Amino acid sequence: MQHLAGKSLKRNFWNFIWPSIIAQWIFALYTMVDGLFVAWGVSEVALSAVNIASPLVNFLFSVSILFAVGASTVVAIFMGQDHHAAANKVYTQNLVVLMVISILITVLVLWRVDDVAIFLGATEETIGYVKEYILNVMPFAWCFMIAYSFEILVKTDGYPLFATLAVTSGALMNLVLDYVFVMLLHKGVGGAAFATGLSQLALVGIYLTHFLSKKANIKLARFHFDWRMMLRTIKIGLPSGLTEFSAGITVFLFNHFILRYIGAEGIISYTIIAYVNTIVVMSLVGIAQGSQPLISFYYGRGEAAICQKLLRYGFVAALVLAGIVFGASWLLADWITGLFISSQMEMLRVTAARVFRIFSISFLLMGFNIVVGGYFTAIERPKSALAISLGRGVITVIIALEVMTFLFGGAGIWWAPLISEFLCLMVTCALFFVYRKQRKEKKPVVETESLNEHYLKSEQKSET
């Protein structure tokens, strides 16, 4: 990060967020590509099964980002203060913890695969497909989690373009392997999952070429496990992890409400909506994550004015992106739904396009919530960030779904995202107002310095 000092702030901002947005698009496309090939090569029912299993993949990514964002924030702050040895130890501890957790999750899911499939919303018609997908993707769980962590940390290391090139290579490999396993070898849903897992394994190898090279600033180092530092990274990263998982939680909640009020056919329509919604959420998360290393770096240097300017850049980027996606959703709804639903199901295609347009209105509000949540994470205000993430990821979604289905039945489901984002926006504005008031009164908002001093002193003692 040191090589960015003295350069144009606006150029640094755009240089960081565009690779991050593209990387998020590509991560979101992994499941979407699986769904496309499954729809073409198997059936619409199999497509809905991929959608039912997708929150599990979102969960893997969210656990990864929980640790990666926390570690990235601490690493960037240490680097801003020229404590590179401490930054390397935090980075190494993060990878070790993530590997252990990924193995535990894999064992638990494979042990109770039937229960997991039913919990996710599998029906008698789809449970075979759902289990097939889970059984083939979970052996690669560690790859998903380590690759995503590397993607965030390589940007913190000052190489956002490399992250984009790496994740693009993984996505292209996934595309080719999906075609081979599903269309040529006819391996069905399991083949699509296996192809995605192999592409993630290759992605880990690509990132290692950077982190094991001489140009890497962040390197593996001997460390003494520090519970306080781990809890600090979890506290910082939890809001981002929940934001990442919000798409998966939303899919999970909507699947259950749709099955209750509309039926299995509604799942097919929502599967298409969920893919686009995930891409939009991930794009806005890309803005928040892309600017996070810069904000944390300047925050570590005590340059609050620059942090505020980066936040304004984030607002502009989110507003422009949300507007473009909303317009494209209304214009291209029929074409997008036609990619997944065959012409023999014309009525379903028309219905899916109509509810997709309604759902897309929520895109206009979510940007502010996600960018402010990401900013609070970058400056170590985890409670505020967590309130926003929990709000838009769980609490307001449940409230909106319950209220709208009570008032309008199944038709209210498609308006629930707009109500949810609006409720969360009220919370976000209140938290931001409190933050601005504290800044004007010059009240301390975090204990970053004391936490850093504690960690550095403990490391010095362990070395002596």
Side-chain angles (χ1 to χ4, degrees):
M1 296 289 290
Q2 297 288 351
H3 66 280
L4 299 176
K7 295 184 179 179
S8 165
L9 183 66
K10 188 175 293 185
R11 173 178 288 184
N12 285 339
F13 173 80
W14 290 108
N15 285 345
F16 267 72
I17 71 158
W18 280 118
S20 183
I21 291 171
I22 293 171
Q24 293 294 325
W25 282 345
I26 294 170
F27 272 120
L29 286 172
Y30 273 105
T31 318
M32 188 174 182
V33 168
D34 283 353
L36 273 172
F37 279 104
V38 166
W40 295 339
V42 188
S43 68
E44 282 86 1
V45 174
L47 166 64
S48 66
V50 174
N51 170 258
I52 290 169
S54 65
L56 181 59
V57 177
N58 279 108
F59 174 70
L60 297 177
F61 281 140
S62 66
V63 173
S64 175
I65 201 172
L66 184 154
F67 286 93
V69 167
S72 173
T73 300
V74 176
V75 166
I77 291 173
F78 274 137
M79 292 176 72
Q81 298 171 342
D82 292 325
H83 298 309
H84 293 278
N88 289 338
K89 291 173 182 177
V90 172
Y91 156 74
T92 307
Q93 177 173 297
N94 171 70
L95 288 182
V96 172
V97 170
L98 205 55
M99 181 63 78
V100 172
I101 290 175
S102 67
I103 294 171
L104 290 174
I105 291 173
T106 301
V107 172
L108 287 172
V109 171
L110 293 179
W111 175 44
R112 304 303 294 256
V113 64
D114 290 279
D115 294 333
V116 171
I118 293 170
F119 174 74
L120 291 172
T123 62
E124 289 185 8
E125 190 178 16
T126 60
I127 191 167
Y129 289 127
V130 174
K131 286 174 59 180
E132 184 182 354
Y133 193 88
I134 292 173
L135 289 171
N136 280 275
V137 82
M138 283 310 297
F140 297 97
W142 71 272
C143 301
F144 280 87
M145 296 172 74
I146 296 297
Y148 206 1
S149 181
F150 277 154
E151 189 268 331
I152 293 171
L153 286 162
V154 79
K155 289 182 292 189
T156 304
D157 201 23
Y159 294 90
L161 183 58
F162 180 85
T164 303
L165 294 175
V167 79
T168 301
S169 300
L172 291 175
M173 185 176 298
N174 183 45
L175 183 68
V176 172
L177 291 174
D178 263 331
Y179 177 76
V180 171
F181 281 103
V182 179
M183 306 304 290
L184 296 184
L185 301 179
H186 304 290
K187 296 298 182 180
V189 173
F194 190 72
T196 301
L198 284 179
S199 65
Q200 290 295 305
L201 177 61
L203 195 53
V204 171
I206 293 171
Y207 282 124
L208 283 174
T209 63
H210 168 79
F211 284 109
L212 297 179
S213 69
K214 293 182 179 179
K215 67 180 180 181
N217 299 301
I218 304 173
K219 299 179 182 293
L220 293 172
R222 294 173 65 92
F223 72 97
H224 293 83
F225 187 81
D226 189 295
W227 279 101
R228 185 169 177 177
M229 182 55 66
M230 189 186 77
L231 291 175
R232 179 186 177 189
T233 58
I234 291 174
K235 185 172 70 172
I236 296 169
L238 185 59
S240 294
L242 285 174
T243 298
E244 186 78 16
F245 195 40
S246 66
I249 295 173
T250 300
V251 170
F252 175 81
L253 292 171
F254 271 78
N255 282 344
H256 283 266
F257 271 83
I258 289 169
L259 286 171
R260 188 194 310 172
Y261 288 94
I262 299 176
E265 193 172 84
I267 295 290
I268 299 173
S269 297
Y270 180 64
T271 299
I272 302 164
I273 296 171
Y275 285 148
V276 178
N277 181 65
T278 300
I279 291 174
V280 176
V281 171
M282 298 280 267
S283 301
L284 295 167
V285 168
I287 295 173
Q289 284 185 13
S291 58
Q292 176 264 322
L294 286 172
I295 294 171
S296 296
F297 177 75
Y298 286 108
Y299 180 69
R301 293 164 68 101
E303 300 185 44
I306 294 181
C307 294
Q308 288 289 298
K309 190 174 290 187
L310 288 167
L311 176 61
R312 289 197 295 272
Y313 292 163
F315 285 153
V316 173
L319 182 63
V320 171
L321 181 62
I324 292 172
V325 174
F326 170 72
S329 297
W330 275 74
L331 292 173
L332 303 176
D334 296 289
W335 177 75
I336 293 171
T337 54
L339 288 174
F340 295 88
I341 302 175
S342 63
S343 57
Q344 287 82 6
M345 307 176 74
E346 182 61 27
M347 186 173 293
L348 181 59
R349 291 174 67 174
V350 172
T351 302
R354 177 178 60 81
V355 298
F356 177 38
R357 289 189 174 97
I358 294 171
F359 194 103
S360 67
I361 302 173
S362 64
F363 298 161
L364 297 173
L365 299 183
M366 66 173 63
F368 187 81
N369 293 326
I370 292 174
V371 169
V372 173
Y375 179 78
F376 283 148
T377 297
I379 63 170
E380 288 200 272
R381 285 182 70 97
K383 291 180 181 178
S384 297
L386 183 60
I388 295 171
S389 299
L390 272 176
R392 70 171 307 276
V394 183
I395 298 171
T396 60
V397 174
I398 295 174
I399 293 172
L401 281 169
E402 291 286 0
V403 171
M404 295 303 289
T405 51
F406 175 78
L407 294 175
F408 305 105
I413 290 174
W414 312 115
W415 292 95
L418 177 62
I419 304 301
S420 172
E421 292 293 344
F422 178 76
L423 292 174
C424 185
L425 183 61
M426 298 300 99
V427 175
T428 302
C429 289
L431 291 170
F432 192 69
F433 175 78
V434 171
Y435 162 70
R436 291 292 296 271
K437 186 178 179 180
Q438 288 182 340
R439 278 197 69 247
K440 288 180 181 179
E441 295 174 357
K442 297 183 179 180
K443 291 182 179 180
V445 293
V446 293
E447 299 176 350
T448 301
E449 194 65 38
S450 61
L451 286 169
N452 286 354
E453 288 175 358
H454 162 79
Y455 183 71
L456 293 170
K457 287 178 182 178
S458 65
E459 285 298 321
Q460 289 172 357
K461 288 179 182 178
S462 65
E463 288 175 359
T464 56

